[in-house]
Amino acid sequence: MAFISSGYNPAKPMEGRISDIGPRKYDEFFPPVIKNNFGKWLYHEILEPGVLMHVAESGDKCYTVRVGGTRTMSVTHIRELCDIADKFCNGCLRWTTRSNIEFMVDSEEGMKALRDELNSRTFDGGSFKFPVGGTGAGISNMVHTQGWIHCHTPATDASGPVKAVMDALFDDFKSMRLPAPMRIALACCINMCGAVHCSDIGLVGIHRKPPMIDHEWTDQLCEIPLAVSACPTAAVRPTKIEHDGKKINSIAIKEDRCMYCGNCYTMCPALPISDGEGDGVAIMVGGKVSNRISMPKFSKVVVGYIPNEPPRWPTLTKTVKHIIEVYAANANKYERLGDWAERIGWESFFKLTGLEFTHHLIDDFRDPAYYTWRQSTQFKF
Amino acid sequence: MAFISSGYNPAKPMEGRISDIGPRKYDEFFPPVIKNNFGKWLYHEILEPGVLMHVAESGDKCYTVRVGGTRTMSVTHIRELCDIADKFCNGCLRWTTRSNIEFMVDSEEGMKALRDELNSRTFDGGSFKFPVGGTGAGISNMVHTQGWIHCHTPATDASGPVKAVMDALFDDFKSMRLPAPMRIALACCINMCGAVHCSDIGLVGIHRKPPMIDHEWTDQLCEIPLAVSACPTAAVRPTKIEHDGKKINSIAIKEDRCMYCGNCYTMCPALPISDGEGDGVAIMVGGKVSNRISMPKFSKVVVGYIPNEPPRWPTLTKTVKHIIEVYAANANKYERLGDWAERIGWESFFKLTGLEFTHHLIDDFRDPAYYTWRQSTQFKF
Amino acid sequence: MAKFATPQLDQLESGPWPSFVSDIKQEAAQRAANAKNIEYQIPVDAPEDLLGVLELSYNDKETHWKHGGIVGVFGYGGGVIGRYCDQPEMFPGVAHFHTLRVAQPSGKYYNSTFLRGLCDIWDMRGSGLTNMHGSTGDIVLLGTQTVQLEEIFHELTHNLKVDLGGSGSNLRTPEACLGQSRCEYACYNTQDMCYQLTMDYQDELHRPAFPYKFKFKFDGCPNGCVCAMARSDFAVVGTWKDDIKIDQEAVKAYVAGEFSPNAGAHSGRDWGKFDLQKEVVDLCPSQCMKWDGSKLSIRTADCVRCMHCINTMPRALHIGDERGASILVGAKAPVVDGAQMGSLLVPFVSCEAPYDDVKEVIEKIWDWWMEEGKNRERVGETMKRLSFQKLLEVTDTPAAAYHVKEPRSNPYIFFKEEEVPGGWDRDLAAYRKRHQR
Amino acid sequence: MAKFATPQLDQLESGPWPSFVSDIKQEAAQRAANAKNIEYQIPVDAPEDLLGVLELSYNDKETHWKHGGIVGVFGYGGGVIGRYCDQPEMFPGVAHFHTLRVAQPSGKYYNSTFLRGLCDIWDMRGSGLTNMHGSTGDIVLLGTQTVQLEEIFHELTHNLKVDLGGSGSNLRTPEACLGQSRCEYACYNTQDMCYQLTMDYQDELHRPAFPYKFKFKFDGCPNGCVCAMARSDFAVVGTWKDDIKIDQEAVKAYVAGEFSPNAGAHSGRDWGKFDLQKEVVDLCPSQCMKWDGSKLSIRTADCVRCMHCINTMPRALHIGDERGASILVGAKAPVVDGAQMGSLLVPFVSCEAPYDDVKEVIEKIWDWWMEEGKNRERVGETMKRLSFQKLLEVTDTPAAAYHVKEPRSNPYIFFKEEEVPGGWDRDLAAYRKRHQR
């Protein structure tokens, strides 16, 4: 494979260099119906799961077909999306915040042909390439992170558990029978890239063992003070140890103060934390970002730990599915999962779901923990 | 005045000594109707402000007449209470948690005679000795602390402002027109002896100047490390200073970290904090301890500072009265002040009361402060 | 003729509310007249000097009392608060002005014999001024001198059979609501539990051995008249487990307007006709009630026993029969780490004398707190610092959903080493074989 | 024939949801076939090696990626994330596997020309694998080698007229909801504000000069589809000040069942007949609505613009005309000090290009945070550490009740020295004259 130059000359990096040009301007890529009715939309309707109709003041209608996407996506797959866009949508398409893909047309017939085409395509392995759905009071695509496919600090995989969970919830991606929209997210570690902390259901990779200390390399690979100050619980401190007969600077970890956040490992590669038998997933529920009815709220940890069970994470998948079924059977119309849990009380949430309440679920992180304890005689036996 | 011995012999302190006998047993002092119906009460009714009727399974009725009391009370006054108890109540009487005094009789006629007698007595200065009232959806007696009459750390007086406030609220002590019970408390400093932190209206003495440092005495009068560790904001630290040509151990205070709690002064008398022009009173509202309808809650600071204006604290008194009038005019039946403020939103509370919202009212004490900021686009313009 | 002019305080004699100034003046006059020829053991003009120093404070807007020195009675570490005036030459009558805390009876019932006995002692050996009562609940005898302390203690114990209360880093004088003596809501005998525990813990009350103060308070029901869960480190609040008892005929009588709702507490205003749906059913915090026009029903499993319906219709609704109490731990006022309310530890404990179940919890908490608590740290602060889990652990309480208002919203979870396969000892070399550096 | 056996991953090909494994396999097959005779600049079998390393992780249950080294393009401090495999001998095709972040257009509209251009570059110079999109919103090109970085950057800028996104301690690539392009709720042109601010702050985006990362997100209304107030340090969320516009006839059509409530979002279940009172009026969080059977009215002064009524009846209710946005500051995920949501700073700002009002707030916050922020401290943490008051001060914002959900419950109030008569310098000697020691 021969090196092919783009035209860049490493000897003269500034020659003809273009920089600081930012993104392409948003309106370059609008489909005609969008361009023509920008800022003039009157109302919309979800015609069927995955199909939206927006009506403009002009009387124009924009039909949108939404399909689920794998966030990790090949150029082959993108080219196939382009082919469809070329065929039905003047080459236009867009992505949503939740990694869905949307195609827009200006007629109902166009929409139907497009929808059928999208639903018809499958991978060789059998899964749908472009399942139509993800709207209204159903389950939209999961927001997720990289996991074992590309991240250096994960406590679980991302794409794998997402595939497993979405397979289990596929009917609810394709329908709108839930009391309210259901947003699920997965973060492969507690850094929580993505709004996992405010999702109806948040799956979070967690470690459960304090980091190992690779003393031989600590001082060479790390700024020790940065690792020390990275610890939210003051479990990490600098120390001097004897290694191979030499006194060297290293790090000590007070194990009973460590809650395995991995923040020190982020700062210092000589503190590896991931551990096959220790790592796994916590389930958080009841968060939301919308201001609708109730104010936004954080998700709460309701299952402290589920082991990593590749390739299909059956315990995790089953638990998520079960929570959703109990929610669907019990919540009021318009009630997000967290609003439901708050209305019935969290002790009723555990009773109804049958999830075990363990000591892991009680907050013990700093002063605000107190506010989550029950300062009342109001509770249900 | 000659010394009169009780019989105690200082040379032999253990001779005949009685200790660890605790309080008198509670049932020694029960009036007959209480003794006879203990644990057998069926229901009660407030017949008129200050008058309760409890009905027992036996059919017995206990009529209680409640009167307001000054917490600071002379033996002459107590003897007068005893005279009344002897005359009407077999010598029995009791105090409530809020320093009211209650007399119990077993007939309606007895109650009426008693009530009229109590209402009839006045001090030479003109005030009532035993005003009947303090029940139901009205204002009960204020719980308060010592203030300038006996305490070493107060930022305001207690008995004085309480007298001034209760004079202004006397009609509501004598009636039951409010949406719900109204509990008012006053603490002369932020130590808050009494449930000021959970009262419908809490008046709290506050300092506003960092302590002075009496360097000459610091090391002689204080355990410096205790003063240092007493500071919740780490504003106090040990230092060495030059005094009269000698290096001595003393204390330094980072003034911009000090919020004048006086906790260091409690530990170290060489750090006097009280200041005539700095000290005053903050008003907190909306707390409650009952679990009725809503869970118990803390009072919130709605006026950061009102100067000490002895002898009658007119600004304080007027502000309290005003808050109560706005509450009375706007809250729903059964709604405690805090429940009302939460229902309408605190921004509406400030709008309706006309109280100025200042930067002092925003929490800035440690991590939980964050939870009091507004994490929503839900607010009223 | 008053000893000091008190023009400011004099203004506090007007107005309807009982004037403490008038009362102190009346005491001053009584002592000056001394009709009973009492041999006053401390300055006869103490009340006048007290008015004088208070008037000075009204001018300066600053207190004139100093930190107390260590004064007390032999063998006790608390019960007396030393207090000195910072202008002793101006006010010699209150130059030394110590306070004694005297144990009040549970529920604060008295008879005149006892009170007169107290007055006699305090007339002769003190200022004649008291607090009825102090914030924690004690009878407070306000102002005497050091030499009188043992004399007063002797007379209290020998003549009145009553002891001092608590102060300092010990068990403070426990306090109870009036409970079953006069309240149909009381779920247990608050007075008796208070009395028995006070007696059982006399040593902890009189001899400071704790990191800081520790308070018990006993409320008979969730109405919380004695503020147990807001004001005491260890709050016992009555509750019940079974159905609220409903007298359907009485419910109808309320609806028909025959009975006054809320026991007449709202009679000072015309709130309109009683609306059972709006005023009771709709306000139920757990939405567990139903009124079909003739029958009121309650889903007990959803009831959180907030007391609202019972308070509103005390003739129709009554607490259940399976009675006991909840225990909440850690309440305190702001200093140092901010105020706390009690946090629910034990949802239900039966309340039969001799209260061993309750005492077991208390003693486990004390053992832990005395071991782990820092100087001047209330147990609520120890809980905050060491976690609620630790409190569960030391009291052998399994974690349950009723312990929290909501589960944690951060994933910073501690696991116990024994919960994690393989524990925390790991093989770095094996790891490095799987993962090159 | 696949290079590695991936029995575990193969199980992720079944089931209805699109399989990323199938997709990577299809890419591997395409590259192996190379029908277009592309001169691959990085190993052709990168996708296969990626499946291999992932299968290894499925066996070990541990990641096999190492900390990134410092890689990038000349003159930029971000936009590229270095990534190396910890078993490079086993998987040489992904031994070096860096990521590029490419700036996405606001609202993520594309045409096929642009996307195909991107695919062509990434086919030849990268793994052929992407993320559409990364968590912050960028197009993520997943996996290339160091020597290709400048080449890719050159082709992106010269051929596709697109720049890299942000990474590291700088302004991260801003993101907007689709706003007015296709939403009747959008209160301002989110895409334009996002685009303009991204252009204006290119320097801050490419050249790390902040204590830590800083994110802008732009939501058109309080529904918050792009999660601005949960995920961005600086959230601009559309709102309005005047009345919600009501079409009473359309309201009646909803009541009559002519229009599907909530835009049809609940059509998957029979929820019964639409009940305006129960489903809208009773759920209003500020109880500002009234329905008398023929007319719906809203007290605007009490409306908190939660969107519920508008969402439920989009044909009848429309956002007001006096439009702008609220600004909320400080959201972040848990690390280090716990998660935060954005706290309301500016209740209303008009949103007219060139957005100087918004930029003024941003720049004041940056000035302060760059001065006072600690290393790796998000601005939300700086706010927590230095107080919300400080944020108000540096942004010249007067404190107002809408800044809080509730006022403080502790009396630990700081006063400014100039607020207190006499300031903080006091005369100890004078004090000691009033108060003896």
Side-chain angles (χ1 to χ4, degrees), chain A residues 147-161:
Chain A
W148 294 334
I149 220 169
H150 201 66
C151 181
H152 63 303
T153 65
T156 187
D157 189 30
S159 314

Side-chain angles (χ1 to χ4, degrees), chain B residues 2 4 6 20 24 26 41 44 46 73-74 76 86 91 146 150-151 157 163 167 179 265 312 334 366, chain C residues 11 17 23 27 41 58 63 67 76 83 99 112 116 131 151 160 181 184 192 207 263 266 279 337:
Chain B
I4 306 209
S6 63
D20 297 284
R24 290 285 284 269
Y26 58 96
W41 297 101
H44 77 284
I46 306 173
M73 193 173 274
S74 72
T76 301
D86 285 342
Q146 298 284 19
H150 200 68
C151 180
D157 188 31
K163 162 71 173 150
D167 277 345
Y265 175 60
R312 297 203 68 99
Y334 304 110
R366 301 198 179 169
Chain C
Q11 294 184 51
W17 187 253
D23 187 25
E27 188 62 25
Q41 299 292 300
Y58 273 49
T63 194
H67 279 68
Y76 279 13
R83 186 67 72 230
T99 284
S112 54
R116 286 185 206 278
N131 285 157
E151 307 300 323
L160 294 186
S181 71
E184 68 269 28
D192 196 60
R207 291 162 199 98
H266 284 81
E279 296 186 35
D337 272 355

Side-chain angles (χ1 to χ4, degrees), chain A residues 80 84 87-88 111-122 130 132:
Chain A
E80 189 168 349
I84 297 170
K87 180 166 171 199
F88 292 93
M111 174 277 284
K112 285 179 176 162
L114 169 63
R115 174 198 63 193
D116 296 343
E117 174 86 36
L118 287 164
N119 271 331
S120 72
R121 301 200 181 201
T122 56
F130 311 114
V132 174

